Every structure is written in structure tokens, then in C-alpha cells.
Amino acid sequence: MLIDIFFLILGLGCSATTRPLAFNDIGNFDLLVLTAACLLFWVFGWFFKERTITRIEGGLLTLCYIAYVTLLIIAA
């Protein structure tokens, strides 16, 4: 897993040297949703059921993602 993250960062870094990545479209709401999703993953994985994500928790995360995409579509 660590090697996968390394290759992802290496690939993004190499492609960013030829053409810089633009972050103009990322707003505060998107960063807030990203932070909330990271916290939910951490809480579900760390505190409940021996560091695994159950079906109920996975379903809740999926519903949160569907709500986020729906908000993005409505806002567009």
C-alpha cells in the first residue's frame, strides 16, 4: 500500500513538472467535505468494530458521497 501511494505521488509530481496543476476550482466547501470524509473514515476505521468498516458504515459513507455529488449537480 505504501508503494502505491509513493507511485501516485511520483506520477503526480512528474506530470506537474510539465504542466502545473490548477487548484482554482477547489472551494472551501469542497475542502470541508474532504476533511469531513477523512474524519469519518478515521472514526469508523479506528473506533468501531476492531478497525474495520462495516456494511452500515460503508452505506453511510456511500450516502454521504451521493449527497455531495447531488449538491454539486444542483449547484452547477
Side-chain angles (χ1 to χ4, degrees):
M1 171 135 174
L2 185 60
I3 197 79
D4 294 333
I5 295 171
F6 171 74
F7 282 126
L8 177 70
I9 293 172
L10 179 70
L12 284 175
C14 290
S15 64
T17 58
T18 58
R19 184 173 182 195
L21 300 173
F23 290 109
N24 296 338
D25 295 336
I26 298 177
N28 289 336
F29 178 70
D30 297 324
L31 292 175
L32 180 66
V33 169
L34 176 67
T35 304
C38 289
L39 286 174
L40 275 177
F41 271 115
W42 181 69
V43 167
F44 287 159
W46 190 262
F47 289 116
F48 302 116
K49 295 283 184 178
E50 297 180 13
R51 297 184 184 172
T52 59
I53 295 176
T54 64
R55 286 183 187 227
I56 294 172
E57 295 164 350
L60 179 64
L61 290 169
T62 303
L63 287 175
C64 290
Y65 176 72
I66 291 170
Y68 172 67
V69 171
T70 304
L71 283 173
L72 288 179
I73 291 172
I74 290 172

